[in-house]
Amino acid sequence: MSNRLYRLKNIYLKNGIKGIINHVLFKLKINYRLKNDLDRLKEYFSKTLAEKLEYRIQSGHFKDIKLIFNNNTGIIANRLENLYETEVINEIVKLQTKFNKKYFVEFGVAEGFYVNGLLGKNIFNFSIGFDIDKKLLNLCKKNLISNNVAQNKFKLINQKIDENSFNYFRENNIDLEECFFLIDIEGDELRVLNEKNLYQLRNSLLIIEIHNFLKKEEEFLKLKNNLLNIFEVKKISIGSRHFDEKSFHKTFLRSEIEKNIYCSELRPSGMYWLVCKPKN
């Protein structure tokens, strides 16, 4: 049996015909997937418990921030329980405490988890968020309003991120040295962070989510080497997860398996981020 047929067989055995369809959609680069039983169970736990938590973050740096308007309901409870990308949040707060950048810039802002937390808790004074999806930007704005963030503290831009996106900062007289970038653009980081743009960003702070399951490993190695030429680079990844179990959790989460599903973000691969700060 060829390697390709062996992989397809394993996909079918794990997720049936939906798994095969999702595999084909992924190969065709179509941004859609059918939900399997695990997805539905995870979404049920997340939505049900988010209601119990009143859509308010329970602990951590973003404590008491509300996330009422959401597109990805499967992970909303992770965010509310301070289980979502906690290592990234901690790194942002630590670096901002030291460097005190003026602007938090997010490429791939979505519903605004980070901008709501960082502006709502006054960790940054101003944020610029880019996203290709206008619907998500509208949700982000609604969340910011619900957290009483003044509209003169943020700018949301409906735009696909490409190699020319950094022109926005020059055109609006924004010094890139005053910017802290969080970049989550589903593999396009390879194209956007070319050598020319990295040189422009040499005095900025960057945290880049690496989607190494979407492209060839050698492409990411090239990006990492280019980053190392300009920045001090540190790799961070997701650690183990635990939550403060309350009585209402026990009503829904009856086994250790269900608790683990609840804690999981159901990512397709182990994720990591590259934290980049200027060389002194």
Side-chain angles (χ1 to χ4, degrees):
M1 183 182 296
S2 70
N3 287 337
R4 181 174 295 177
L5 286 175
Y6 180 76
R7 287 197 301 272
L8 289 173
K9 177 184 175 182
N10 282 337
I11 290 169
Y12 178 77
L13 289 174
K14 285 193 291 184
N15 291 307
I17 191 65
K18 287 183 180 179
I20 296 294
I21 293 171
N22 285 334
H23 178 73
V24 172
L25 292 173
F26 174 77
K27 289 295 184 181
L28 294 174
K29 298 183 178 179
I30 297 173
N31 188 26
Y32 180 81
R33 64 189 296 273
L34 300 175
K35 292 180 180 179
N36 58 31
D37 292 341
L38 186 59
D39 294 323
R40 286 198 296 272
L41 183 61
K42 167 66 175 170
E43 187 167 359
Y44 165 72
F45 288 151
S46 188
K47 288 172 68 175
T48 303
L49 290 163
E51 291 174 4
K52 295 287 184 182
L53 299 170
E54 299 180 333
Y55 292 91
R56 191 182 296 272
I57 295 177
Q58 301 297 296
S59 62
H61 292 295
F62 295 172
K63 187 177 188 297
D64 292 327
I65 292 297
K66 293 177 287 186
L67 299 172
I68 299 170
F69 304 96
N70 297 279
N71 181 63
N72 189 347
T73 53
I75 59 169
I76 179 57
N78 297 71
R79 291 172 169 173
L80 301 176
E81 298 265 29
N82 193 31
L83 301 172
Y84 181 80
E85 298 187 2
T86 312
E87 295 80 4
V88 179
I89 298 169
N90 292 342
E91 196 68 32
I92 291 172
V93 173
K94 182 176 74 174
L95 289 171
Q96 177 62 1
T97 300
K98 179 177 180 180
F99 291 97
N100 192 30
K101 296 293 186 180
K102 186 175 181 179
Y103 304 99
F104 175 72
V105 182
E106 188 169 7
F107 285 177
V109 68
E111 307 105 311
F113 170 66
Y114 280 100
V115 299
N116 274 272
L118 294 169
L119 292 179
K121 303 303 284 189
N122 297 310
I123 297 167
F124 283 85
N125 291 322
F126 195 87
S127 179
I128 305 167
F130 293 77
D131 206 285
I132 193 173
D133 192 325
K134 190 172 184 178
K135 175 188 172 185
L136 292 180
L137 289 176
N138 287 335
L139 294 177
C140 178
K141 186 174 182 179
K142 288 180 179 180
N143 280 322
L144 286 163
I145 292 170
S146 74
N147 285 301
N148 299 313
V149 176
Q151 294 200 35
N152 63 0
K153 295 189 68 173
F154 63 88
K155 178 76 173 175
L156 299 177
I157 301 166
N158 183 207
Q159 177 183 306
K160 180 176 173 59
I161 306 302
D162 60 24
E163 299 94 324
N164 299 313
S165 293
F166 295 102
N167 292 342
Y168 170 87
F169 300 91
R170 183 183 68 254
E171 292 164 1
N172 289 275
N173 298 313
I174 296 171
D175 186 353
L176 287 170
E177 187 173 350
E178 289 296 322
C179 295
F180 191 133
F181 287 87
L182 178 62
I183 299 172
D184 177 9
I185 47 178
E186 307 299 322
D188 282 344
E189 60 267 21
L190 294 169
R191 179 169 48 84
V192 172
L193 297 175
N194 56 37
E195 291 184 62
K196 175 186 174 182
N197 284 336
L198 286 179
Y199 183 76
Q200 291 187 75
L201 297 170
R202 64 192 181 279
N203 293 314
S204 306
L205 292 173
L206 316 176
I207 296 183
I208 309 159
E209 184 168 353
I210 299 298
H211 300 81
N212 60 334
F213 56 92
L214 294 177
K215 306 282 185 177
K216 294 180 179 179
E217 185 61 35
E218 53 264 30
E219 295 183 71
F220 288 100
L221 182 60
K222 179 181 178 181
L223 172 60
K224 185 176 181 181
N225 287 335
N226 288 339
L227 289 168
L228 286 168
N229 288 333
I230 300 173
F231 300 97
E232 294 180 20
V233 180
K234 180 174 75 171
K235 177 180 175 180
I236 60 173
S237 55
I238 294 173
S240 59
R241 292 288 186 260
H242 305 281
F243 63 95
D244 183 17
E245 193 171 347
K246 300 180 177 66
S247 58
F248 60 80
H249 288 106
K250 297 175 183 178
T251 304
F252 298 96
L253 307 174
R254 298 298 185 90
S255 69
E256 289 302 311
I257 292 173
E258 291 185 342
K259 291 175 187 177
N260 286 329
I261 292 171
Y262 178 64
C263 285
S264 173
E265 297 172 23
L266 296 187
R267 293 177 182 267
S269 176
M271 303 294 295
Y272 68 91
W273 292 257
L274 297 178
V275 180
C276 308
K277 60 182 183 179
K279 290 183 176 179
N280 294 327

